[in-house]
Amino acid sequence: MTQNYVVPNQMIAIEVINPGNQSQLQQTTVAVPALKAGQVLLKVAAAGVNRADLLQRSGLYPPPAGESDILGLEVAGTVVAVAADVSSEWLGEAVFGLVPGGGYAQYVALPAEHLIKKPASLGMSEAAACAEVFLTAFQAMRVVGSLPDQGALLVHAGASGVGTAAIQLGKALGCFVAVTVGSDDKAKACLALGADVAVNYKTQDFVTELKAARPQGFDLIIDPVAGDYITKDIQLLALDGQIVVLSMLGGRMTPELDLGLMLKKRGQLLCSTLRNRTDGYKAALISDFNQQFGMALAEGKIKAVLAQSIDWAEAERAHQLLASNAVVGKLVLTLF
């Protein structure tokens, strides 16, 4: 630990009581994480809230082996200590980044290679809303998938954190961007972000609407729903198009797939996660994102859509809000 910052031995964190359908969140006292080689210690100012947190507390999404079982996959804050092999120049830096767990706490350890310096234009809450959504969207579009510049992108759950990030990245690449959403208000929000088409799936048949809007189909479809959406996605694919599945909000099973149509379109069905990727993969992903979009983020040309900042003492309310599907963009817990 450094002499410049007094770091306590213990800290407050939020733990899950009775994981499962009846789980509860409770503040508790735990040890401050010990630094491993290559890591820094971050004093957390804000932490993003993600659906992965809801899944983990329900017992369906455990952390990777050896990682913290405290909730929280993205944070913003100040570096207060560095491992012996990490440059001391990081000390005092305001940063944000991904963590495999441990974000709902006063301090968290993470690799220095996973840090992104916080632009002066962003507050801590805004910065905490950035990492997971932009890196997940970027990974789906340009690493797992291969969305071309000036291509066509379809994003389901377009008003979600990842959805709102994908809209902005897609437009920055000069793409035609369409989204599906669950309300007219969400459709308006997505159109305001730059989406070319927004379809309310509760009142319209999105396959019919999107075929009319884009007869030649979509080069890439980002799908966190899966279930019966997959068969509809295939109908909307362009030649050589790709479907990237991020989650299974619509269920694990899908109706019978028309592989003949997939073959005719030379389509690809890809599945992707980010949390359990290796440290090296995440470091390369962050580096590539910074190279392609770091300046746009720093200049405010792209930015996380912050739905609400909520004091971390009200984490339960934040989770209920997220589960309600009533927000546009990201919810963030604040610790300051």
Side-chain angles (χ1 to χ4, degrees):
M1 300 294 179
T2 175
Q3 295 181 352
N4 295 329
Y5 294 90
V6 177
V7 178
N9 294 321
Q10 293 191 310
M11 65 179 183
I12 304 299
I14 294 175
E15 66 175 349
V16 178
I17 306 298
N18 299 322
N21 293 334
Q22 303 300 318
S23 66
Q24 296 178 313
L25 302 180
Q26 173 180 289
Q27 289 196 355
T28 187
T29 300
V30 298
V32 171
L35 289 180
K36 301 175 184 177
Q39 290 188 332
V40 306
L41 188 69
L42 198 68
K43 185 175 183 180
V44 178
V49 179
N50 292 283
R51 288 197 176 273
D53 304 335
L54 306 186
L55 288 172
Q56 182 175 330
R57 67 176 290 184
S58 68
L60 298 176
Y61 193 32
E67 301 294 349
S68 173
D69 60 1
I70 296 169
L71 301 179
L73 302 182
E74 59 187 331
V75 292
T78 304
V79 177
V80 294
V82 299
D85 60 340
V86 174
S87 171
S88 61
E89 292 182 1
W90 278 111
L91 288 171
E93 282 285 353
V95 298
F96 65 97
L98 292 173
V99 289
Y104 289 18
Q106 290 177 311
Y107 296 89
V108 68
L110 69 161
E113 290 185 328
H114 295 179
L115 297 175
I116 303 173
K117 290 186 178 181
K118 184 183 76 64
S121 58
L122 295 182
M124 285 294 187
S125 292
E126 294 169 309
C130 284
E132 183 74 17
V133 296
F134 276 114
L135 292 172
T136 297
F138 175 70
Q139 176 186 236
M141 294 162 63
R142 302 291 261 192
V143 180
V144 174
S146 51
L147 177 68
D149 291 1
Q150 288 84 49
L153 171 68
L154 169 59
V155 184
H156 294 304
S160 67
V162 171
T164 53
I167 291 169
Q168 295 176 75
L169 295 184
K171 296 311 295 182
L173 295 170
C175 294
F176 177 90
V177 179
V179 300
T180 64
V181 294
S183 74
D184 290 342
D185 285 343
K186 288 182 177 181
K188 291 177 183 177
C190 290
L191 292 170
L193 277 175
D196 298 283
V197 176
V199 180
N200 181 349
Y201 66 83
K202 292 184 178 179
T203 59
Q204 298 171 291
D205 177 66
F206 71 76
V207 173
T208 299
E209 296 295 327
L210 292 174
K211 278 186 174 180
R214 184 76 182 182
Q216 62 269 57
F218 292 87
D219 299 300
L220 185 77
I221 300 175
I222 297 178
D223 188 347
V225 181
D228 65 358
Y229 270 41
I230 300 298
T231 57
K232 299 175 181 179
D233 291 342
I234 295 171
Q235 297 177 56
L236 294 167
L237 273 184
L239 190 64
D240 295 315
Q242 299 172 307
I243 303 165
V244 180
V245 176
L246 300 181
S247 187
M248 301 175 292
L249 298 177
R252 299 168 63 94
M253 307 302 292
T254 187
E256 234 174 84
L257 293 176
D258 185 351
L259 290 180
L261 185 55
M262 281 287 277
L263 281 168
K264 183 179 179 180
K265 294 187 173 185
R266 300 194 299 265
Q268 298 180 52
L269 177 61
L270 307 164
C271 297
S272 179
T273 59
L274 181 53
R275 183 183 192 182
N276 60 358
R277 300 281 190 175
T278 66
D279 285 349
Y281 176 97
K282 292 177 182 177
L285 180 70
I286 290 165
S287 176
D288 289 346
F289 174 81
N290 274 332
Q291 183 176 1
Q292 295 186 45
F293 293 105
M295 186 64 70
L297 185 65
E299 294 177 350
K301 294 179 180 177
I302 61 172
K303 58 183 178 181
V305 176
L306 182 60
Q308 195 173 338
S309 295
I310 298 173
D311 188 278
W312 75 321
E314 297 184 81
E316 187 66 62
R317 181 168 72 88
H319 280 201
Q320 291 171 2
L321 270 174
L322 183 60
S324 74
N325 294 320
V327 298
V328 173
K330 287 287 302 222
L331 295 169
V332 168
L333 300 178
T334 56
L335 282 68
F336 52 87

